[in-house]
Every structure is written in structure tokens, then in C-alpha cells.
Amino acid sequence: MSTPALALDLHGHVALITGANHGIGAATARKLAGCGASVLLSYLRLEDEPDDAVPEANRQHRASDPGDVLEAIRAAGGDAHALEADLADEDTPTMLFDTAENLFGPVDILINNASGWVADTFKAVSTDRLGRSVQPVSKATIERVFAVDAHAAALLIAEFSRRHIARGACGAGSSG
């Protein structure tokens, strides 16, 4: 016996999704738009070197823009816009929220999906178990990952919260 799919009505809602040019971010953008939300897709095209440890399919996805995602959303009657932005830049969260608000209105759904993933390892090896190149963990690899996965995510959440509170959104005035 199958369970019926949950139908969400997100008309009038605005979503900001990072890392939305492929994979989980793209699927999330399609789903939210399919439920009626207006969606801003943030992405950053990455050109991996041929000797990097990135598998070919991932290399192609990481270098792509979200044109096919936008096309699918719009073909289904959804409202979406994409913006290439480097989340390692501390001014990007404000710029993304400003853009979303100018296009659609206040953001009330934030999906922190982007990652600054680097093929690195603690082991003293130059390839992983599949023969892909890896580099030793270093200050630079840690900073690259944390710039997106931790710092940018925290700054996006802070900007989301600040704007949510400033507009007196539901629960914004409560303490706790």
C-alpha cells in the first residue's frame, strides 16, 4: 500500500536555494517551484582541472549553469531566477537576499545546499581507492570548504533571521 504524496501549497512563498545548478539543489528548486514557491537559484560554476579527483559526471555538473533547471521550472508554470555568486565572498548573502526580494518579495524559505568540497585526505596517499587524485588536507583546503559549508551558511542564516525579524514575521518577536 502506497502513501499518497504530500501536497504543499507554497504560492506566495519565496525560496533561496544555494548550489542549485545540479543535484539535490536543482531537485529542491524544481519541487518548491512545483508547489508554487518563487525560487532564486544560487550557483557557482567550477572548472575542475582534468587531474582533479572530481568524477567526470560531477565535473560536468559543477561547470554547468542552471539553465535546464530554470527551463523546467518555467515550462511547468513556475517562477524562478538564477544568479551566479561566490558564497566565499562575505557580501554574497546580502546580495542574494536583496535580489530575491527585488524579484519576488521577502525570502521565507532558505535551503543551504552549496558545498565547497575539495578532494583531500588525511592519509599519506595521492589517490583514493578508485584511483582519483587527492591532495593532503591543508589550511587552504580546510578554508575553502569552511568558507562555503560553514561561514557562508551561517551568514545566510543570519541574514535570513535579520530580515525575518525586521519585517515582524511570525514568531520573530518571541524570546527563546
Side-chain angles (χ1 to χ4, degrees):
M1 182 170 160
S2 64
T3 306
L6 178 63
L8 295 175
D9 181 4
L10 296 177
H11 289 87
H13 292 274
V14 176
L16 167 56
I17 305 168
T18 66
N21 56 328
H22 64 93
I24 293 170
T28 303
R30 285 186 194 101
K31 183 64 173 177
L32 292 176
C35 291
S38 297
V39 182
L40 178 64
L41 295 80
S42 167
Y43 69 101
L44 180 64
R45 287 177 289 193
L46 298 173
E47 299 291 335
D48 297 299
E49 295 299 320
D51 62 341
D52 285 348
V54 179
E56 185 57 32
N58 289 18
R59 181 186 322 280
Q60 290 175 12
H61 290 304
R62 287 162 51 106
S64 69
D65 67 32
D68 60 333
V69 180
L70 288 173
E71 186 177 311
I73 289 171
R74 292 174 180 156
D79 196 6
H81 183 80
L83 184 62
E84 186 165 16
D86 185 354
L87 292 173
D89 179 341
E90 68 184 62
D91 295 327
T92 295
T94 300
M95 183 267 298
L96 289 173
F97 277 90
D98 286 347
T99 301
E101 286 183 4
N102 288 334
L103 290 168
F104 307 123
V107 174
D108 55 356
I109 302 168
L110 171 62
I111 308 293
N112 275 318
N113 176 67
S115 177
W117 175 80
V118 177
D120 60 0
T121 182
F122 290 106
K123 295 180 180 179
V125 297
S126 59
T127 59
D128 67 10
R129 64 183 176 81
L130 300 175
R132 299 173 299 192
S133 298
V134 292
Q135 58 186 306
V137 169
S138 67
K139 183 177 191 260
T141 64
I142 291 169
E143 286 177 354
R144 180 174 166 192
V145 172
F146 273 69
V148 176
D149 295 33
H151 298 142
L155 292 174
L156 284 158
I157 292 167
E159 188 68 18
F160 178 78
S161 297
R162 184 186 67 74
R163 290 173 188 241
H164 190 76
I165 291 166
R167 71 176 184 267
C170 178
S174 64
S175 60

